[in-house]
Amino acid sequence: MGNLLGPLILGRLFDSVGRKPMIAGTCILSGVLLLGTAWLFGAGDLTAVTMTACWTVVLFFASAGASAAYLTVSEVFPMETRALAIAFFYAIGTAAGGISGPLLFSSLVSTGKVSDTVIAFAVGASLMILAGLVEAFLGVRAERKGLEEIATPLTAEDATVGATAG
């Protein structure tokens, strides 16, 4: 339920403000908030309750950005290849994060040293900030546009080639 709240509340802003600034902003903000959480954790200023509250706020923004990015990435591909694009990016993301993440973070957190856990948080935060920056510079403005405006269907390109050849 918690990871649905961010997209539910912020969802309208992705079409009114724009997907590119909202995805970039939510990713960067969640990364900055996670860095703040890491700093507070390292200073010993968090209880179990306040740590959970920090993670909830971070996840609120991270889930909104990630949900929109996941859907938006498919829009930049022609309609005929969108399902494949979603599957490809999902598989790559799951493999990269699902394999390396647990290996890296479990080795850091299992040492029992606060500083190692802070490093784990900082790595995750840095990746979120990096994702936001990539979106800010390379993202496609897709709000209020038809899918065909964002990426021309392959069949339309074939029809254009056939019309000019004939």
Side-chain angles (χ1 to χ4, degrees):
M1 173 70 176
N3 63 346
L4 295 176
L5 201 53
L8 181 66
I9 293 172
L10 298 176
R12 291 186 194 135
L13 296 175
F14 283 85
D15 274 333
S16 61
V17 172
R19 294 178 193 173
K20 184 175 176 174
M22 285 298 295
I23 292 169
T26 54
C27 288
I28 292 169
L29 181 59
S30 66
V32 169
L33 290 170
L34 187 55
L35 282 177
T37 302
W39 180 74
L40 291 170
F41 181 78
D45 293 336
L46 296 175
T47 65
V49 171
T50 56
M51 174 70 97
T52 302
C54 287
W55 283 340
T56 301
V57 173
V58 169
L59 184 60
F60 174 83
F61 291 104
S63 65
S67 295
Y70 171 72
L71 295 172
T72 302
V73 74
S74 70
E75 294 176 343
V76 300
F77 293 93
M79 290 172 45
E80 297 86 351
T81 62
R82 284 192 182 132
L84 179 61
I86 290 172
F88 178 76
F89 284 106
Y90 180 79
I92 297 299
T94 300
I99 295 169
S100 64
L103 292 174
L104 173 65
F105 295 117
S106 68
S107 65
L108 287 169
V109 173
S110 67
T111 66
K113 297 179 185 175
V114 170
S115 61
D116 287 347
T117 302
V118 169
I119 290 170
F121 286 171
V123 168
S126 299
L127 290 172
M128 286 303 294
I129 292 168
L130 178 64
L133 293 173
V134 167
E135 175 65 20
F137 289 103
L138 300 178
V140 173
R141 290 186 103 31
E143 61 277 355
R144 296 188 187 121
K145 292 184 180 176
L147 295 176
E148 292 79 12
E149 292 177 71
I150 300 165
T152 305
L154 295 174
T155 52
E157 290 175 4
D158 289 344
T160 304
V161 170
T164 55

